[in-house]
Amino acid sequence: MKKVILGDHAVSYGALLSRVQTIAAYPITPQTLIVERLSEMTANGELDAIFTKVESEHSAMASTVGSSAAGARAFTATSAQGLALMHEMLHWAAGARLPIVMANVNRAMAPGWTIWTDQNDSLSARDVGWMQVYCQNNQEVLDSIILGYKVSEQVDLPTMVILDAFVLSHTAEGVDIPDIKKVDEFLPPYKPEIKMDINDPRSFGALTSPDVYMEFRYKMQQAMDKAKKVIVEEGKKFGEMFGREYGLIEEYKTEDADTILIASATVASTARAVIDELREKGEKVGLVRIRVFRPFPTEEIIKVLEGRKKVVVIDRNISFGKTGIFFDEVKGAFYNSKGNKPPMFGYIAGLGGRDVTPKVIREIVEDALNKDKPESEIIWKGVKL
Amino acid sequence: MSKLTIPQEEIMSSGHLACQGCAGALAMRYMLKVFGKKTMLAVPACCWSVIDGPWPYSAVSVPLFHTAFETAAITASGLKAGLVAQGINDVNVVAWAGDGGTFDIGFQAISGAAERNDDILYVVYDNEAYMNTGIQRSSATPYGAWTTTTPANHPKDRPKKDLVEIIAAHRVPFVATASVAYPEDLIKKFEKAKNTKGFKLIHIFAPCPTGWKMAPELSIESARLAVQTRVFPVYEVENGVHYKLNINVKNPKPVGEYLKIQGRFRHLKEDDYKVIQENVDREWELLMRKVETFK
C-alpha cells in the first residue's frame, strides 16, 4: 500500500511492521511524531506492544536493554541531546549483545539551542558498538527498521537507523508500506539463544577481569565483520521480496567517473541531481552514498575509489580539532590500499540544519574540479565570517 | 499471631564474595527464600556487583542482569515489560541496589517507575555510604558520620534523606522499612511485596562492618540497636497514606548505645550525641503523628 507519510511516521510503521513487543521512549523534537504515532498504535491495538513512557532517554535505553535481555523485540527512538544522555546505555546495549533497533533523528547538538539537522549527535556515538544506517528518504527509513531487526538478530548487535531532522522527519513522501504478512515472512519472531530465563538462570554483565574482557570486545568486532556480509545478503533478499535492494554503499554514475563525490543521508539524495547536471556539462562525476557507517565499508570504498582522479567528501558534521568525520574515515580506509590514491577534498557544509541545496553541492564539486589538490584538510562551505 | 516459618530452601549459595558480617548479603538470602526461583534480579553498580561473583560465576540461582549505576528501577521495569510482552506473567522482577544507587544517582529512575506504578519490587540495602568504592558519603549517610569524603574533622552535617516519605508521596501500593535484625518482619514484608501488584519499595537497614569500622559480629547488634534507639523506625506505608508502625519501641535506648559501637562515630562528643538524640526524638514524634492520624 502506498501512502504519503512523514519520515517520523515511516519509523513508526517500520516498528509496527517489525511487530516490536516493547517500546520505551521519551519525547524530543523532532522525534516526537514517532512516539506519538506509536502511542496511538499501541493504544488502539494496531500494535501489540508494551509502551513504557519513561522519564528520560537514559531510562528509555535502560528499559529497552532490560526488555531485550528478557527476550522481547525492543524499540526506542530519540535525537540529539537524548542520544547524548543515553550514551552510557548505548554501550550497555552493544556490550550486552542485544539486537535493539533505535531510530535517531539527526539533530545538531546544543548549545546554542537548535532543533535542526546535522550528524554530530549520532557520530558522537560512533564507537559504542552500534551499527549505523544513514537514510536518504522515508522509504529507506521504514525499510531500514525492518532490516535492522533482521540483521541485528543475526549478529547480536544493535542498529541505529538515522534520518535527518525535518528534511525527512517532518517531510511527507510517498512510501510503500509493505503487507505485514510479507514482512512476517522476511522477519520471523525474535528467538534469542540466550536470554534472562528462570529455567536457565545466568548472570549477565558480571565483573570481567583483564584476563577475559578483551575477548568479549574481540567478539564484538567479529560480529561487526559478520554484519557487513549479513547486511548485504539481507539487503538483497529484501530487494527480491519488496523490490528495493539495500547495501553498505550506493553508487550513482560511478562507472566512468574521474571524480567521485561522497555524501550520506539526504545530502546524497540531493547530490544525485547535481551529478546529472554536471554530467550534462560533460564532467565525468559520480556519487557514492555511504549508507552504512558502522560497520564501515572499507573494502567497498577502496574498490570504488582506487584510481580515480579526485574524491570529494561532504560532511554535515565535524570532529573538532580534526576534520569532517566521513572524510577522515574514507581517507583512513584508503591508507593501506595498494592502488593509486586520488587527492581527497573534505568539505564541511550544512551544520545546524543550514540547507545543503543543489547549488551548494554544485559549488563544492566545481571548487574541487578547479583545483589540483586541496589547500587544507577542511574546506568550509558557506561560513559567513 | 500465626507462627511464621522462614523457607528452608537456599537460592543464594554460600560461596559469595561479601565481607564478613555483610547485612546486604543476608538481606538477599532472605529475599530469595521468599521470592523463590521465579524471580529475576536487576543489580546496578553496588556491593552486590562484586558479591555475586565475577564472570562466569553467580551466587544466586536466579537470572541476574548487572546494569548501570542509575538504572536499577528502569532495568527491572524493562525486564518486566519484556517478560509480559512474551506472555510470561508469573515472574517477579526485583531491583536490588545499594543506597548510593538509590538515594543519589538512581533516584530519578525510581521516581519514574514509582509514578508509573511499574510492577516491580525495589529493594535498597542501605549501608549508609558508597561502600563498594571505599566508604564515600551518600545522601543516605547519617548526620555526624565519618566517611572517606566526610573526614572526622568535617563529618556529614546534614541528615539522611527520607527516602520512604518521598516514595510514599508517589502513592505507591507498598513502601516499607525493614531490618536484618528483625527477620520475621523482613520476611513478612517480602511476602507482602510478592503478593502486591504495582510498585513496591523496601528500604532495608544493612550494617556494613567494613565501612562502619566495627567488628563483623556487631552487624546484627548494630541493626537491632538502630531500631531500639529509634534511629531507624520499622514501619510501612500503604498507598502512600496508610501508616503502620511494625516494631514499637516503647522504652528507647539512648542513641549513644548505637553510636558508640561504631568507629565511624568515634569522633563524636557528648554535644553531638545530644544533637543526634534530639533529631531522632523529633523524627519519631513526627512518624507517630502520621501513624496515629493516617491509619
Side-chain angles (χ1 to χ4, degrees):
Chain A
M1 181 179 48
K2 200 118 181 171
K3 261 191 167 182
V4 176
I5 57 172
L6 305 175
D8 270 3
H9 290 162
V11 172
S12 314
Y13 276 105
L16 172 82
L17 294 171
S18 302
R19 295 191 191 274
V20 301
Q21 294 167 293
T22 66
I23 302 159
Y26 184 84
I28 179 168
T29 304
Q31 155 266 35
T32 40
L33 300 177
I34 299 172
V35 295
E36 286 169 8
R37 180 53 65 87
L38 284 170
S39 302
E40 291 163 11
M41 286 170 169
T42 48
N44 66 22
E46 237 181 308
L47 173 59
D48 184 17
I50 296 175
F51 192 154
T52 308
K53 281 105 187 188
V54 290
E55 80 297 334
S56 76
E57 286 93 352
H58 195 279
S59 283
M61 186 46 66
S63 177
T64 308
V65 162
S67 295
S68 183
R73 186 172 282 160
F75 180 78
T76 185
T78 192
S79 181
Q81 312 300 132
L83 185 68
L85 182 59
M86 61 169 68
H87 189 87
E88 180 190 27
M89 299 317 291
L90 296 179
H91 282 279
W92 221 279
R97 305 296 303 273
L98 298 170
I100 293 162
V101 172
M102 168 169 68
N104 181 66
V105 185
N106 258 158
R107 161 181 150 176
M109 295 297 297
W113 276 120
T114 165
I115 52 171
W116 297 279
T117 198
D118 78 31
Q119 299 171 322
N120 259 71
D121 60 345
S122 54
L123 289 171
S124 294
R126 184 187 64 173
D127 301 329
V128 295
W130 281 61
M131 292 180 273
Q132 289 199 346
V133 180
Y134 288 82
C135 298
Q136 63 175 344
N137 57 42
N138 293 351
Q139 183 72 62
E140 187 179 2
V141 168
L142 184 149
D143 294 343
S144 295
I145 300 286
I146 299 166
L147 273 161
Y149 284 110
K150 188 72 191 282
V151 175
S152 279
E153 289 170 10
Q154 289 176 64
V155 302
D156 300 318
L157 285 175
T159 297
M160 196 184 296
V161 175
I162 297 153
L163 60 152
D164 290 357
F166 301 104
V167 185
L168 288 185
S169 72
H170 287 60
T171 301
E173 290 183 334
V175 171
D176 174 52
I177 299 172
D179 181 51
I180 194 160
K181 286 192 183 118
K182 219 168 148 191
V183 177
D184 287 344
E185 267 178 60
F186 179 75
L187 180 68
Y190 175 45
K191 290 214 166 63
E193 275 179 45
I194 296 176
K195 61 174 182 175
M196 289 282 282
D197 182 357
I198 55 163
N199 300 311
D200 181 21
R202 299 158 185 263
S203 83
F204 292 79
L207 187 69
T208 45
S209 71
D211 195 39
V212 292
Y213 182 89
M214 205 161 144
E215 282 67 24
F216 284 112
R217 291 306 178 259
Y218 177 80
K219 287 186 175 189
M220 284 170 74
Q221 177 60 22
Q222 275 189 317
M224 277 286 183
D225 290 342
K226 180 182 170 192
K228 272 198 213 178
K229 290 189 196 81
V230 177
I231 289 167
V232 173
E233 283 164 16
E234 293 300 340
K236 274 208 180 82
K237 275 188 221 163
F238 192 91
E240 284 158 19
M241 278 186 84
F242 301 99
R244 296 178 296 273
E245 188 177 321
Y246 296 97
L248 298 164
I249 62 170
E250 188 184 77
E251 296 178 46
Y252 184 70
K253 299 191 176 173
T254 53
E255 221 162 86
D256 63 339
D258 296 329
T259 299
I260 300 283
L261 172 63
I262 294 185
S264 62
T266 55
V267 174
S269 56
T270 308
R272 224 174 270 117
V274 178
I275 297 295
D276 289 345
E277 216 180 292
L278 290 167
R279 282 263 169 187
E280 274 175 34
K281 288 183 184 170
E283 300 288 357
K284 283 178 146 183
V285 293
L287 171 74
V288 170
R289 175 172 76 98
I290 296 181
R291 175 175 179 265
V292 177
F293 182 72
R294 282 291 180 273
F296 194 74
T298 306
E299 296 79 14
E300 291 74 10
I301 282 177
I302 291 169
K303 202 174 146 203
V304 69
L305 295 190
E306 258 182 349
R308 309 284 181 173
K309 286 188 182 153
K310 274 175 199 169
V311 174
V312 183
V313 184
I314 301 179
D315 271 296
R316 199 171 212 164
N317 61 72
I318 180 167
S319 173
F320 297 108
K322 191 80 194 288
T323 57
I325 295 166
F326 280 73
F327 174 67
D328 196 44
E329 299 243 348
V330 169
K331 263 199 322 174
F334 221 71
Y335 186 80
N336 278 339
S337 76
K338 285 184 189 131
N340 167 283
K341 294 179 179 64
M344 291 194 194
F345 295 72
Y347 293 83
I348 306 273
L351 299 187
R354 189 171 297 180
D355 279 340
V356 182
T357 60
K359 180 170 174 280
V360 170
I361 298 171
R362 191 175 58 241
E363 285 171 5
I364 284 173
V365 179
E366 282 172 347
D367 183 63
L369 288 172
N370 289 333
K371 289 171 183 164
D372 293 332
K373 54 181 192 206
E375 293 141 9
S376 60
E377 286 287 274
I378 295 187
I379 309 163
W380 289 84
K381 176 61 189 165
V383 173
K384 296 175 284 189
L385 285 174
Chain B
M1 215 194 222
S2 64
K3 203 180 164 196
L4 184 112
T5 53
I6 293 174
Q8 293 280 310
E9 192 182 9
E10 297 289 356
I11 293 176
M12 184 178 139
S13 64
S14 56
H16 59 77
L17 298 182
C19 305
Q20 283 185 10
C22 173
L26 188 56
M28 175 69 90
R29 187 178 162 205
Y30 285 133
M31 187 280 285
L32 287 175
K33 276 173 175 287
V34 175
F35 269 69
K37 286 192 170 174
K38 283 190 171 181
T39 304
M40 285 184 185
L41 290 167
V43 176
C46 63
C47 288
W48 255 96
S49 314
V50 175
I51 295 172
D52 192 54
W55 183 86
Y57 302 103
S58 179
V60 294
S61 47
V62 295
L64 185 157
F65 195 85
H66 290 277
T67 192
F69 213 162
E70 63 279 52
T71 65
I74 187 62
T75 303
S77 298
L79 280 165
K80 184 71 185 179
L83 292 171
V84 173
Q86 296 171 85
I88 304 165
N89 296 304
D90 60 346
V91 172
N92 287 299
V93 182
V94 178
W96 188 270
D99 50 287
T102 303
F103 287 66
D104 293 339
I105 197 169
F107 196 63
Q108 176 179 316
I110 298 168
S111 178
E115 184 270 332
R116 290 186 304 270
N117 200 27
D118 290 346
D119 188 19
I120 59 165
L121 167 63
Y122 191 104
V123 176
V124 48
Y125 62 103
D126 176 13
N127 50 32
E128 302 197 315
Y130 291 86
M131 295 312 184
N132 201 32
T133 45
I135 325 169
Q136 293 83 24
R137 68 88 93 181
S138 75
S139 59
T141 303
Y143 175 90
W146 163 91
T147 68
T148 56
T149 52
T150 49
N153 60 0
H154 197 292
K156 184 148 183 255
D157 57 1
R158 292 285 300 154
K160 186 183 179 82
K161 188 188 281 181
D162 194 340
L163 180 75
V164 168
E165 286 303 307
I166 298 167
I167 302 304
H170 290 73
R171 306 293 180 253
V172 294
F174 183 59
V175 51
T177 64
S179 170
V180 288
Y182 295 84
E184 294 89 350
D185 175 76
L186 182 58
I187 292 279
K188 272 187 208 159
K189 279 171 179 160
F190 283 137
E191 276 173 354
K192 189 163 178 175
K194 193 181 175 187
N195 296 316
T196 302
K197 214 171 156 53
F199 187 87
K200 291 83 59 178
L201 184 140
I202 300 179
H203 173 194
I204 301 177
F205 192 78
C208 168
T210 311
W212 293 10
K213 302 295 166 200
M214 62 181 187
E217 64 268 26
L218 293 177
S219 192
I220 299 299
E221 189 174 336
S222 63
R224 192 178 297 120
L225 281 168
V227 174
Q228 290 175 350
T229 54
R230 295 179 173 173
V231 164
F232 189 82
V234 177
Y235 71 106
E236 63 186 60
V237 190
E238 276 182 19
N239 299 313
V241 285
H242 302 294
Y243 282 73
K244 188 177 167 190
L245 186 68
N246 305 112
I247 297 172
N248 197 1
V249 186
K250 282 183 183 152
N251 302 303
K253 293 179 175 168
V255 292
E257 289 196 26
Y258 166 69
L259 301 172
K260 72 185 179 197
I261 62 167
Q262 302 172 50
R264 64 174 175 157
F265 295 119
R266 189 178 294 135
H267 55 279
L268 296 182
K269 307 277 189 307
E270 274 306 317
D271 282 354
D272 301 315
Y273 278 30
K274 224 177 122 192
V275 172
I276 293 170
Q277 185 68 61
E278 282 167 10
N279 288 345
V280 165
D281 291 347
R282 195 175 54 246
E283 288 297 324
W284 182 267
E285 170 69 21
L286 187 61
L287 178 63
M288 288 313 105
R289 287 190 192 186
K290 287 177 195 163
V291 169
E292 283 153 25
T293 312
F294 307 106
K295 282 176 184 163

